[in-house]
Amino acid sequence: MTATLDRAAAAAVDERPIPSSTATRRRWIGFAAVLAAMIMDILDSTIVNVAAPSIQRDLHTSPSALEWVAAAYTLAIAVGLLTGGRLGDRYGRKRMLLVGLSGFMIGSAACAFAWSPSSLIAARVVQGLAAALLTPQTFGLIRDIFPPDQIGKAFAAFGPVIGLSTVAGPVVAGLLIDADPFGTGWRSLFLINLPLGAFALAVGARVLPAGGGRRTVRLDAVGTALMAAVSLLIVFPLVDGRAQGWPAWIFAVLASAAPLLAVFVVHQRRRVRRGATPLVEFSVLAKRSYVSGVAFTLVFFGSIVGFGLTVGLFLQLGLGFSPLKAGLYTAALAVGAFFGSGVGAWATTNVGRPILHVGLAIMAAGTTTLLVSVHAAGANPGAAALLPGLGIYGLGMGMIFVPLFSIITGEIEDHEVGSASGLLEALQQLGASLGVAVLATLFFSRFAPERGGPVAAAAAGRHVGAIEATLSVSLVLLAVAFAVGWLLPRRARSGF
């Protein structure tokens, strides 16, 4: 009886109204935990651009294995995102965020202690799957944390923090590698996730609102496995084909993705007939504007991610920049994107589709500026040759980031939005993997570090030809995106 009375008294205490100042403080502390989780993902999606040469020297990594260090992360996210959001719906956003954070910390520790290229690639897959689990929960949790009259303030703070993190990422990466704390070098980029993750995990467990989820939400493990296989069959030949000498079996592997994709489609249609929720709502693929948006997403994100990685390789392997100096130079991309995103936010509803073409034209101008400047400067281009083109490219890129998904879903019905946006997020990551595979493979084929090593390749001036070829293909990809952009909806979706 006494124990029962004690529990009743405790419950009564718990049900007392929380003072508004305390509730507000708890909300912003919870918001900080969500931000920490997002910052971890942002940092790890860009650090390879700065860390790649250091990783290559330390682990004696081949060019194709180095590409996999970048591609494995984005490919794992692409596959995991198809299920990550549904896991949050089924088991609760808070629970899945905490599970994702735990997995991300485990993956980060495994990256930091990797002893070989294969172990690092496997750890990056763990990181990517964990990021795919935690990322879909963040926006829903922000809406759960704040009442309607405060959500605007939260998202107003969210944008600049994420933007500044993107700007600071390459610089922080360069600083850490150059500082070499306790002799950790590039490994410190992964170790820094541990205190960040511990903060988000401890605070999130204490203050984030718990949601029970809906156990009626059904998962599709078979569909996810099929899409994982299709994605791997596409990316693997592009990454490893050069190292293997492009034998016939490489092309056979690439071709085998098509029938497996057909099996995925059949499987999804059977789920629909059984009344189960498919991974992809096929009704959205009947809309020309959305299918065009899928193509635009693959090409655009492939272009920018491949561009960022190859520029980082050029600066360090070709020009001999230190990680810090390379990080400072590539930060010009993020600074330009930071300012461009402000224009993009305004243009989403005020301009619509034309802002995509404006942004692509500016990106092409930046790429051309960089290409002409590097060609004119020769083997040792300086800041005057590199920074203007990088900054202009970033400006145009930022103009597209904010409005893109809102415009692509402009003609999507309300009940299709969840599936349409989830598929776009997954394809964004798949496009990033393809961009790494195509542009980095092209860069290494021209740079040819296996012929005497990176120093000999740079001394022979092959780095200039490598970056010129990469920039030329980037221009072609931008032209393809420009053409496809005319098929997108003219106006953005309101309230996306």
Side-chain angles (χ1 to χ4, degrees):
M1 176 65 76
T2 302
T4 302
L5 290 174
D6 288 343
R7 286 196 296 270
V13 170
D14 289 341
E15 290 172 0
R16 287 183 301 182
I18 299 175
S20 59
S21 59
T22 302
T24 299
R25 186 165 59 251
R26 285 175 64 89
R27 290 187 190 111
W28 287 103
I29 292 173
F31 179 68
V34 173
L35 277 181
M38 288 292 292
I39 289 170
M40 288 167 57
D41 175 45
I42 290 169
L43 292 177
D44 278 74
S45 64
T46 58
I47 57 173
V48 173
N49 296 351
V50 177
S54 300
I55 293 172
Q56 186 178 45
R57 286 192 297 269
D58 187 31
L59 297 181
H60 308 290
T61 308
S62 68
S64 60
L66 194 63
E67 291 174 42
W68 273 117
V69 172
Y73 182 75
T74 52
L75 189 60
I77 295 178
V79 173
L81 279 173
L82 293 172
T83 302
R86 284 192 171 90
L87 286 169
D89 293 337
R90 180 177 174 86
Y91 298 108
R93 295 189 184 102
K94 174 181 177 178
R95 179 181 297 174
M96 288 300 99
L97 179 79
L98 299 180
V99 171
L101 279 168
S102 301
F104 201 90
M105 292 172 65
I106 292 170
S108 298
C111 287
F113 293 101
W115 62 91
S116 67
S118 297
S119 62
L120 180 58
I121 292 167
R124 289 286 281 172
V125 171
V126 173
Q127 272 194 314
L129 291 174
L133 186 56
L134 68 87
T135 302
Q137 321 309 330
T138 53
F139 287 102
L141 278 169
I142 291 173
R143 295 185 180 278
D144 292 342
I145 292 169
F146 292 96
D149 62 325
Q150 294 184 14
I151 286 178
K153 293 180 181 179
F155 281 110
F158 183 86
V161 171
I162 296 301
L164 289 172
S165 299
T166 305
V167 172
V171 180
V172 171
L175 276 171
L176 283 172
I177 296 173
D178 274 10
D180 192 21
F182 306 106
T184 54
W186 60 267
R187 300 173 190 272
S188 61
L189 303 184
F190 298 103
L191 290 171
I192 198 174
N193 288 330
L194 301 184
L196 264 177
F199 164 79
L201 199 60
V203 173
R206 184 174 179 83
V207 304
L208 289 177
R214 304 190 310 275
R215 295 304 174 98
T216 55
V217 175
R218 299 172 66 181
L219 306 177
D220 183 8
V222 173
T224 302
L226 286 171
M227 276 308 297
V230 169
S231 302
L232 185 61
L233 290 173
I234 294 172
V235 175
F236 173 80
L238 297 176
V239 173
D240 272 40
R242 174 180 170 271
Q244 300 292 337
W246 299 108
W249 66 265
I250 280 284
F251 294 99
V253 169
L254 185 61
S256 66
L260 197 60
L261 181 60
V263 173
F264 171 79
V265 172
V266 171
H267 170 72
Q268 292 295 288
R269 292 194 183 281
R270 285 178 178 173
R271 283 184 64 86
V272 172
R273 286 196 294 269
R274 295 198 309 264
T277 304
L279 284 177
V280 178
E281 291 282 355
F282 283 98
S283 59
V284 303
L285 299 178
K287 295 178 171 64
R288 188 193 70 174
S289 61
Y290 181 79
V291 174
S292 302
V294 165
F296 187 100
T297 298
L298 288 170
V299 174
F300 174 71
F301 283 100
S303 174
I304 62 175
V305 174
F307 178 94
L309 177 60
T310 51
V311 166
L313 293 170
F314 170 72
L315 294 177
Q316 292 191 64
L317 296 180
L319 301 183
F321 283 11
S322 69
L324 176 58
K325 188 175 181 180
L328 289 169
Y329 272 64
T330 55
L333 284 169
V335 171
F338 180 74
F339 288 103
S341 63
V343 178
W346 166 81
T348 300
T349 54
N350 292 286
V351 177
R353 185 180 69 192
I355 191 60
L356 303 183
H357 289 105
V358 172
L360 288 168
I362 293 174
M363 289 173 67
T367 306
T368 303
T369 300
L370 188 59
L371 179 60
V372 171
S373 298
V374 168
H375 183 78
N380 294 294
L386 298 172
L387 292 179
L390 292 173
I392 294 169
Y393 185 97
L395 181 68
M397 180 174 67
M399 289 182 182
I400 297 173
F401 274 157
V402 176
L404 179 57
F405 283 9
S406 297
I407 291 172
I408 291 175
T409 58
E411 296 176 0
I412 294 297
E413 303 296 332
D414 289 344
H415 70 277
E416 299 171 330
V417 170
S419 177
S421 57
L423 181 59
L424 285 176
E425 290 171 357
L427 290 172
Q428 171 186 335
Q429 301 298 331
L430 178 59
S433 299
L434 292 171
V436 167
V438 172
L439 293 181
T441 296
L442 174 61
F443 178 88
F444 280 120
S445 68
R446 297 300 182 93
F447 188 57
E450 62 272 12
R451 287 159 46 195
V455 175
R462 294 200 295 267
H463 61 297
V464 176
I467 196 63
E468 287 179 350
T470 305
L471 293 175
S472 298
V473 173
S474 294
L475 281 172
V476 172
L477 293 175
L478 292 175
V480 172
F482 194 93
V484 173
W486 293 110
L487 302 176
L488 302 184
R490 289 190 58 84
R491 310 302 301 178
R493 182 181 184 83
S494 60
F496 182 76

